[in-house]
Amino acid sequence: MTNKNIERLKKKVEKDPLSKLFVPLAEEYKKVGMVDEAIKILLTALENQPYYKSAMVALGKMYLHKGMLTEATEEFEKVVSLIPDNLLAHKNLADIYYKQGNVDRAIKECTIILELNPDDEDAKTMKLSLESRVPQSKVREKEAEEIIPGGQLGGFQVIGNSDVQNAGNDSEEIKKPQVYEIDEEVSGAELGIEIDRKSVV
């Protein structure tokens, strides 16, 4: 698209604040290296149409192009809060968290991507790479934390692997396996977890 056509698009969006041509105009600005102008036009579109999701995604991409990761993250998180199954936003969030070294959140985004698209090879590769950095005990604790914050699983209290009992011999320590104390009668087999039977009344 020539600059002449960009000017033609610009006039159209200036005449109609609710025009959907803001996004293609921003993309054309980006093609000619006018990323700041693209961001400006998208911000104008979102002032008039706060829930214009295509503009939000496009703005996030512009921020990414400029290396503005915080701003990009905010935009993509807005998108997934409005459209939880927006695959593009989740993929961009996964990439951002990966670059930032935020392993937990990157894994979470990869998991969501694979729920939406089980054949996404990029998400599979990224998730495997990230999970290889996390000890399995940490992964299990994180999964428990995601069910209910604070490690509380309904009637169960998570007991960490670091709990140690002295068996009466100072030279020997026995580490307790990770189990869950039970406050009420629940079938551990059904929950797929190990139950500390000593705590069952």
Side-chain angles (χ1 to χ4, degrees), residues 29-195:
Y29 275 130
K30 180 185 175 185
K31 287 179 183 178
V32 297
M34 299 173 66
V35 180
D36 288 336
E37 192 64 31
I39 291 173
K40 182 180 177 182
I41 203 75
L42 289 169
L43 288 172
T44 299
L46 289 167
E47 284 178 5
N48 297 312
Q49 306 174 71
Y51 301 107
Y52 185 8
K53 301 172 192 69
S54 295
M56 293 164 68
V57 171
L59 181 58
K61 288 166 60 180
M62 297 299 170
Y63 285 140
L64 267 184
H65 186 76
K66 292 204 68 176
M68 301 168 66
L69 299 186
T70 300
E71 291 82 357
T73 301
E74 290 176 359
E75 287 305 314
F76 292 126
E77 285 182 344
K78 287 178 189 175
V79 174
V80 298
S81 70
L82 295 170
I83 317 173
D85 62 350
N86 189 293
L87 192 58
L88 179 59
H90 284 297
K91 287 176 73 70
N92 279 294
L93 284 172
D95 286 337
I96 292 171
Y97 294 138
Y98 184 86
K99 290 175 183 175
Q100 293 176 329
N102 193 333
V103 175
D104 289 342
R105 299 200 71 174
I107 289 175
K108 182 179 178 181
E109 289 301 326
C110 287
T111 300
I112 294 171
I113 292 167
L114 291 171
E115 287 174 355
L116 296 171
N117 179 19
D119 297 324
D120 192 306
E121 293 299 328
D122 290 337
K124 288 179 184 178
T125 301
M126 184 185 291
K127 187 177 182 184
L128 285 172
S129 172
L130 290 165
E131 287 179 339
S132 68
R133 306 180 191 179
V134 184
Q136 283 304 304
S137 59
K138 181 67 176 176
V139 172
R140 288 194 297 269
E141 289 174 9
K142 186 61 183 175
E143 288 171 349
E145 181 73 18
E146 286 178 355
I147 295 173
I148 297 179
Q152 299 289 333
L153 303 178
F156 297 89
Q157 175 79 36
V158 175
I159 300 176
N161 286 331
S162 61
D163 289 348
V164 177
Q165 286 185 328
N166 191 312
N169 186 341
D170 293 337
S171 63
E172 185 178 354
E173 290 182 338
I174 301 175
K175 290 187 178 181
K176 293 173 63 179
Q178 179 166 310
V179 296
Y180 298 86
E181 290 180 350
I182 187 167
D183 294 333
E184 57 186 347
E185 202 167 314
V186 180
S187 170
E190 291 176 4
L191 296 175
I193 60 178
E194 186 177 356
I195 305 299

